[in-house]
Amino acid sequence: MPKRTLISNATCVLPGETRQANVLIEGSTIIGIDPPSTAHVDELRDASGLHLLPGCIDDQVHFREPGLEHKEDLRTGSIACAKGGITSFLEMPNTNPNTITIEALHDKLNRAASKCVVNYGFYIGATGNNIPVLQAAQRTPGIKIFIGSSTGNLLVDEQAALEQIFAETTLPICAHCEDETTVRANAERLSGTTDVADHSRIRDHVAALIATKRAVDLSTRHKHPFHVLHVSTAAEVEFLATTPDWVTAEACPHHLLFNVEDYARLGTLVQMNPSIKNKEDNDALWQGLLSGVIEVIATDHAPHTLEEKAKPYPSSPSGLPAVENSLALLLNAVHEGRCTLENVVDWMAAAPARIWSMKAKGQIAEGCDADLVLVDLQKQHTIRNAEQVTKSGWSPWDGVTLTGLPVETWVMGQRVWSDGKLVPDVLGSEVQYERTT
Ligand code: DOR
């Protein structure tokens, strides 16, 4: 008989209602909400005073394995997820080698099976000439296109190649949208700069909007499910309000919480692609989330070492780590009254599960996987570089005090993070997808 655990007395964010409930887990599955008191239970976890949420699903992380393991690897990245309340991640293909073949995809899945402490999935990367791979790929949430180059060498910019990908493949597509021509022209104009604030002038508002419109146009004409990664501008939010239902979008904590004024304090630590923008853009992204134009919050966790980040701009790499703090940052936003706890659950669990057709994920409901996080909404804590478990060992939020903290994470019915540390010998599982096409 698989072990039965009852998580009792927590305030649970259930689909459509938030209330105190008892959640019964058998093996890796939630088998009952408020089961009869006579139900057999092997372990009781009294969670009085805490809130129980479905584990977060981060659909955009860079865990750097294989090839760039000095920045992060699948084990350290997944441990950072466990600490942060993220129970499933979807990882990007700009590793070395790039994940652009079935062999590379399976290699990542095999590596993850033996070392990831949370659930995992990996995108297949588009190159412009790997259509047969994109057509054959299974065991993946979808196709990632860099319409605009970022870290690594994956870029598909030619219209004919993009048309072919949208026309001849069926997996959902997501894209990094920054217009390469605009970015290159801006870089040329500002060549010689060493001011990191110019990053937002080079990767400017226009570059983001042109590429997002171009990708949405492809998706609309080909009726192809499409997810806009890391929206960074008010103009994109306004545009996305007019797009078909099968176009979805996401925002990242750094685009919600940082803007160009932060370069003075944080320098290259907030150098990201797409770049951080202005205060008005922060506000528009929040509005976009609250109005449902943007469905998902994901981190784009993109760790580089502090040594790499200390290089002078523009030699400094773009990207920052975030998985271990994203939920806490959003719980703090709940504390500040910017959004509700139910919003956070929707953006960070239910919506990504739905968009990527994940089987049995994203909800606290009978039959769903027991991927759960207990949070303490009152707990104050200060983010400290020294306490970060990402291999990169830093956070752009170092020194920031937040109210609200994930305190215990469960993956497939097993406690994986508890009392401030990793529970040994727990491994996650491969995310499964339920697609009709
Ligand atoms: O700033 C970024 N860094 N944006 C991306 O899209 C990629 C990422 C990375 O892999 O470093």
PDB file of all heavy atoms in Angstrom, residues 280-298:
ATOM      1  N   GLU A 280       6.573  53.057 -15.798  1.00  0.00           N
ATOM      2  CA  GLU A 280       5.258  52.895 -16.463  1.00  0.00           C
ATOM      3  C   GLU A 280       5.099  51.467 -16.976  1.00  0.00           C
ATOM      4  O   GLU A 280       3.989  50.931 -17.028  1.00  0.00           O
ATOM      5  CB  GLU A 280       5.091  53.828 -17.671  1.00  0.00           C
ATOM      6  CG  GLU A 280       5.275  55.292 -17.395  1.00  0.00           C
ATOM      7  CD  GLU A 280       6.748  55.694 -17.361  1.00  0.00           C
ATOM      8  OE1 GLU A 280       7.368  55.811 -18.418  1.00  0.00           O
ATOM      9  OE2 GLU A 280       7.259  55.892 -16.242  1.00  0.00           O
ATOM     10  N   ASP A 281       6.208  50.878 -17.401  1.00  0.00           N
ATOM     11  CA  ASP A 281       6.138  49.496 -17.891  1.00  0.00           C
ATOM     12  C   ASP A 281       5.876  48.527 -16.736  1.00  0.00           C
ATOM     13  O   ASP A 281       5.088  47.591 -16.876  1.00  0.00           O
ATOM     14  CB  ASP A 281       7.426  49.137 -18.639  1.00  0.00           C
ATOM     15  CG  ASP A 281       7.637  50.044 -19.835  1.00  0.00           C
ATOM     16  OD1 ASP A 281       6.837  49.964 -20.779  1.00  0.00           O
ATOM     17  OD2 ASP A 281       8.577  50.858 -19.814  1.00  0.00           O
ATOM     18  N   ASN A 282       6.531  48.758 -15.590  1.00  0.00           N
ATOM     19  CA  ASN A 282       6.236  47.932 -14.400  1.00  0.00           C
ATOM     20  C   ASN A 282       4.731  47.954 -14.134  1.00  0.00           C
ATOM     21  O   ASN A 282       4.090  46.906 -13.970  1.00  0.00           O
ATOM     22  CB  ASN A 282       6.911  48.455 -13.118  1.00  0.00           C
ATOM     23  CG  ASN A 282       8.413  48.531 -13.146  1.00  0.00           C
ATOM     24  OD1 ASN A 282       9.012  49.432 -12.577  1.00  0.00           O
ATOM     25  ND2 ASN A 282       9.045  47.582 -13.805  1.00  0.00           N
ATOM     26  N   ASP A 283       4.185  49.150 -14.107  1.00  0.00           N
ATOM     27  CA  ASP A 283       2.758  49.303 -13.769  1.00  0.00           C
ATOM     28  C   ASP A 283       1.878  48.610 -14.805  1.00  0.00           C
ATOM     29  O   ASP A 283       0.903  47.948 -14.460  1.00  0.00           O
ATOM     30  CB  ASP A 283       2.378  50.790 -13.686  1.00  0.00           C
ATOM     31  CG  ASP A 283       3.113  51.497 -12.551  1.00  0.00           C
ATOM     32  OD1 ASP A 283       3.625  50.793 -11.659  1.00  0.00           O
ATOM     33  OD2 ASP A 283       3.196  52.738 -12.575  1.00  0.00           O
ATOM     34  N   ALA A 284       2.240  48.748 -16.078  1.00  0.00           N
ATOM     35  CA  ALA A 284       1.423  48.136 -17.138  1.00  0.00           C
ATOM     36  C   ALA A 284       1.479  46.604 -17.062  1.00  0.00           C
ATOM     37  O   ALA A 284       0.484  45.928 -17.336  1.00  0.00           O
ATOM     38  CB  ALA A 284       1.895  48.624 -18.500  1.00  0.00           C
ATOM     39  N   LEU A 285       2.633  46.068 -16.685  1.00  0.00           N
ATOM     40  CA  LEU A 285       2.736  44.603 -16.559  1.00  0.00           C
ATOM     41  C   LEU A 285       1.835  44.104 -15.430  1.00  0.00           C
ATOM     42  O   LEU A 285       1.133  43.099 -15.570  1.00  0.00           O
ATOM     43  CB  LEU A 285       4.189  44.188 -16.320  1.00  0.00           C
ATOM     44  CG  LEU A 285       5.148  44.410 -17.488  1.00  0.00           C
ATOM     45  CD1 LEU A 285       6.589  44.109 -17.069  1.00  0.00           C
ATOM     46  CD2 LEU A 285       4.775  43.552 -18.695  1.00  0.00           C
ATOM     47  N   TRP A 286       1.844  44.816 -14.297  1.00  0.00           N
ATOM     48  CA  TRP A 286       0.933  44.435 -13.195  1.00  0.00           C
ATOM     49  C   TRP A 286      -0.514  44.496 -13.675  1.00  0.00           C
ATOM     50  O   TRP A 286      -1.301  43.587 -13.414  1.00  0.00           O
ATOM     51  CB  TRP A 286       1.122  45.359 -11.973  1.00  0.00           C
ATOM     52  CG  TRP A 286       2.290  45.004 -11.109  1.00  0.00           C
ATOM     53  CD1 TRP A 286       3.425  45.726 -10.951  1.00  0.00           C
ATOM     54  CD2 TRP A 286       2.447  43.836 -10.277  1.00  0.00           C
ATOM     55  NE1 TRP A 286       4.283  45.089 -10.077  1.00  0.00           N
ATOM     56  CE2 TRP A 286       3.705  43.939  -9.639  1.00  0.00           C
ATOM     57  CE3 TRP A 286       1.646  42.728 -10.000  1.00  0.00           C
ATOM     58  CZ2 TRP A 286       4.187  42.975  -8.761  1.00  0.00           C
ATOM     59  CZ3 TRP A 286       2.121  41.757  -9.113  1.00  0.00           C
ATOM     60  CH2 TRP A 286       3.374  41.886  -8.504  1.00  0.00           C
ATOM     61  N   GLN A 287      -0.837  45.575 -14.373  1.00  0.00           N
ATOM     62  CA  GLN A 287      -2.211  45.713 -14.883  1.00  0.00           C
ATOM     63  C   GLN A 287      -2.548  44.588 -15.852  1.00  0.00           C
ATOM     64  O   GLN A 287      -3.644  44.044 -15.846  1.00  0.00           O
ATOM     65  CB  GLN A 287      -2.383  47.062 -15.591  1.00  0.00           C
ATOM     66  CG  GLN A 287      -2.816  48.191 -14.676  1.00  0.00           C
ATOM     67  CD  GLN A 287      -3.952  47.775 -13.748  1.00  0.00           C
ATOM     68  OE1 GLN A 287      -4.939  47.186 -14.164  1.00  0.00           O
ATOM     69  NE2 GLN A 287      -3.794  48.047 -12.460  1.00  0.00           N
ATOM     70  N   GLY A 288      -1.570  44.255 -16.701  1.00  0.00           N
ATOM     71  CA  GLY A 288      -1.763  43.169 -17.667  1.00  0.00           C
ATOM     72  C   GLY A 288      -2.048  41.848 -16.980  1.00  0.00           C
ATOM     73  O   GLY A 288      -2.891  41.062 -17.424  1.00  0.00           O
ATOM     74  N   LEU A 289      -1.359  41.604 -15.875  1.00  0.00           N
ATOM     75  CA  LEU A 289      -1.613  40.379 -15.115  1.00  0.00           C
ATOM     76  C   LEU A 289      -3.009  40.421 -14.498  1.00  0.00           C
ATOM     77  O   LEU A 289      -3.784  39.466 -14.594  1.00  0.00           O
ATOM     78  CB  LEU A 289      -0.562  40.211 -14.008  1.00  0.00           C
ATOM     79  CG  LEU A 289       0.815  39.713 -14.462  1.00  0.00           C
ATOM     80  CD1 LEU A 289       1.881  40.049 -13.433  1.00  0.00           C
ATOM     81  CD2 LEU A 289       0.780  38.197 -14.710  1.00  0.00           C
ATOM     82  N   LEU A 290      -3.317  41.547 -13.874  1.00  0.00           N
ATOM     83  CA  LEU A 290      -4.596  41.626 -13.153  1.00  0.00           C
ATOM     84  C   LEU A 290      -5.790  41.576 -14.100  1.00  0.00           C
ATOM     85  O   LEU A 290      -6.860  41.092 -13.739  1.00  0.00           O
ATOM     86  CB  LEU A 290      -4.630  42.916 -12.310  1.00  0.00           C
ATOM     87  CG  LEU A 290      -3.658  42.905 -11.122  1.00  0.00           C
ATOM     88  CD1 LEU A 290      -3.497  44.302 -10.535  1.00  0.00           C
ATOM     89  CD2 LEU A 290      -4.120  41.922 -10.044  1.00  0.00           C
ATOM     90  N   SER A 291      -5.591  42.039 -15.337  1.00  0.00           N
ATOM     91  CA  SER A 291      -6.704  42.022 -16.291  1.00  0.00           C
ATOM     92  C   SER A 291      -6.756  40.734 -17.093  1.00  0.00           C
ATOM     93  O   SER A 291      -7.661  40.542 -17.905  1.00  0.00           O
ATOM     94  CB  SER A 291      -6.579  43.212 -17.245  1.00  0.00           C
ATOM     95  OG  SER A 291      -5.427  43.039 -18.043  1.00  0.00           O
ATOM     96  N   GLY A 292      -5.764  39.863 -16.921  1.00  0.00           N
ATOM     97  CA  GLY A 292      -5.782  38.576 -17.625  1.00  0.00           C
ATOM     98  C   GLY A 292      -5.127  38.602 -18.991  1.00  0.00           C
ATOM     99  O   GLY A 292      -5.087  37.584 -19.680  1.00  0.00           O
ATOM    100  N   VAL A 293      -4.590  39.749 -19.403  1.00  0.00           N
ATOM    101  CA  VAL A 293      -3.877  39.807 -20.697  1.00  0.00           C
ATOM    102  C   VAL A 293      -2.589  38.980 -20.601  1.00  0.00           C
ATOM    103  O   VAL A 293      -2.202  38.295 -21.546  1.00  0.00           O
ATOM    104  CB  VAL A 293      -3.555  41.272 -21.074  1.00  0.00           C
ATOM    105  CG1 VAL A 293      -2.628  41.339 -22.277  1.00  0.00           C
ATOM    106  CG2 VAL A 293      -4.842  42.028 -21.356  1.00  0.00           C
ATOM    107  N   ILE A 294      -1.936  39.065 -19.461  1.00  0.00           N
ATOM    108  CA  ILE A 294      -0.762  38.223 -19.179  1.00  0.00           C
ATOM    109  C   ILE A 294      -1.223  37.147 -18.203  1.00  0.00           C
ATOM    110  O   ILE A 294      -1.790  37.459 -17.154  1.00  0.00           O
ATOM    111  CB  ILE A 294       0.385  39.052 -18.568  1.00  0.00           C
ATOM    112  CG1 ILE A 294       0.809  40.150 -19.535  1.00  0.00           C
ATOM    113  CG2 ILE A 294       1.570  38.159 -18.215  1.00  0.00           C
ATOM    114  CD1 ILE A 294       1.840  41.110 -18.953  1.00  0.00           C
ATOM    115  N   GLU A 295      -0.990  35.886 -18.566  1.00  0.00           N
ATOM    116  CA  GLU A 295      -1.528  34.790 -17.759  1.00  0.00           C
ATOM    117  C   GLU A 295      -0.535  34.228 -16.742  1.00  0.00           C
ATOM    118  O   GLU A 295      -0.936  33.627 -15.750  1.00  0.00           O
ATOM    119  CB  GLU A 295      -1.952  33.620 -18.665  1.00  0.00           C
ATOM    120  CG  GLU A 295      -3.140  33.903 -19.551  1.00  0.00           C
ATOM    121  CD  GLU A 295      -2.771  34.493 -20.901  1.00  0.00           C
ATOM    122  OE1 GLU A 295      -1.641  34.995 -21.059  1.00  0.00           O
ATOM    123  OE2 GLU A 295      -3.620  34.468 -21.796  1.00  0.00           O
ATOM    124  N   VAL A 296       0.775  34.337 -17.056  1.00  0.00           N
ATOM    125  CA  VAL A 296       1.778  33.549 -16.320  1.00  0.00           C
ATOM    126  C   VAL A 296       2.851  34.451 -15.713  1.00  0.00           C
ATOM    127  O   VAL A 296       3.240  35.450 -16.314  1.00  0.00           O
ATOM    128  CB  VAL A 296       2.466  32.551 -17.301  1.00  0.00           C
ATOM    129  CG1 VAL A 296       3.660  31.850 -16.661  1.00  0.00           C
ATOM    130  CG2 VAL A 296       1.459  31.522 -17.813  1.00  0.00           C
ATOM    131  N   ILE A 297       3.335  34.066 -14.541  1.00  0.00           N
ATOM    132  CA  ILE A 297       4.596  34.614 -14.026  1.00  0.00           C
ATOM    133  C   ILE A 297       5.628  33.493 -14.021  1.00  0.00           C
ATOM    134  O   ILE A 297       5.394  32.417 -13.452  1.00  0.00           O
ATOM    135  CB  ILE A 297       4.443  35.196 -12.608  1.00  0.00           C
ATOM    136  CG1 ILE A 297       3.580  36.459 -12.667  1.00  0.00           C
ATOM    137  CG2 ILE A 297       5.808  35.516 -12.014  1.00  0.00           C
ATOM    138  CD1 ILE A 297       3.426  37.169 -11.336  1.00  0.00           C
ATOM    139  N   ALA A 298       6.731  33.728 -14.693  1.00  0.00           N
ATOM    140  CA  ALA A 298       7.863  32.791 -14.690  1.00  0.00           C
ATOM    141  C   ALA A 298       9.116  33.599 -14.449  1.00  0.00           C
ATOM    142  O   ALA A 298       9.103  34.828 -14.573  1.00  0.00           O
ATOM    143  CB  ALA A 298       7.946  32.074 -16.037  1.00  0.00           C
TER     144      ALA A 298
END
